């Protein structure tokens, strides 16, 4: 089977290579920049980092989650079983502008990533 398939692939190879080189429409500067930006791994990584830092800014602005803990004590004595269950719900309170400072720090990190992305796009 390979002896029939190989000549077909070798014969079709120049046609496939030529089809990829010649575009069907004229290439404009805007289209060329879009193609180059989409194929550049450094730009793609910078865009993904900027998206991740956007999520970090959003996360920094949220309140901390409450915690629920359960403690069960089982004491067995001669006079009978005694079981005690304790549920505890706690909510951390942030004082002194900690959340605002955390959000501001995350925004500064995002601004740095946006500047890095702009620099890479300009290059």
């Amino acid at each position: 089977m390979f002896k029939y398939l190989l000549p077909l692939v070798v014969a079709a190879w120049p046609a496939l290579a030529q089809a990829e080189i010649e575009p069907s429409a004229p290439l404009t500067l805007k289209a060329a920049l879009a193609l180059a930006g989409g194929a550049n791994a450094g730009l793609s990584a910078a865009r993904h980092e900027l998206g991740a830092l956007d999520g970090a800014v959003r996360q920094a602005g949220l309140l901390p989650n409450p915690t629920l803990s359960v403690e069960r004590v089982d004491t067995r004595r001669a006079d009978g079983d005694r079981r005690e269950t304790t549920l505890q719900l706690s909510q951390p309170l942030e004082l002194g502008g900690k959340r605002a400072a955390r959000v501001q720090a995350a925004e500064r990190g995002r601004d740095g990533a946006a500047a890095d992305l702009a620099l890479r796009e300009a290059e």
Side-chain angles (χ1 to χ4, degrees):
M1 176 165 171
F2 288 113
K3 74 177 187 178
Y4 297 114
L5 187 60
L6 184 62
L8 289 174
V9 171
V10 171
W13 189 264
L16 289 174
Q18 188 69 16
E20 291 180 13
I21 293 174
E22 295 181 11
S24 59
L27 186 63
T28 63
L29 178 61
K30 186 176 182 178
L33 289 174
L35 284 172
N40 190 333
L43 285 176
S44 178
R47 282 190 204 104
H48 288 301
E49 183 177 352
L50 183 61
L53 289 174
D54 282 337
V57 169
R58 194 172 88 196
Q59 179 68 33
L62 297 176
L63 293 172
N65 289 332
T67 58
L68 177 68
S69 61
V70 178
E71 181 181 346
R72 187 167 190 169
V73 178
D74 188 7
T75 56
R76 296 184 184 200
R77 297 183 182 167
D79 58 345
D81 291 344
R82 198 173 119 202
R83 294 183 182 145
E84 183 179 313
T85 304
T86 304
L87 294 174
Q88 181 179 4
L89 178 67
S90 62
Q91 173 68 46
L93 298 175
E94 295 178 331
L95 303 174
K98 287 183 182 178
R99 185 170 50 170
R102 190 172 58 238
V103 169
Q104 187 178 17
E107 286 174 349
R108 294 303 148 258
R110 183 188 57 194
D111 293 344
D116 184 45
L117 176 62
L119 178 68
R120 288 182 186 217
E121 285 177 344
E123 288 177 351

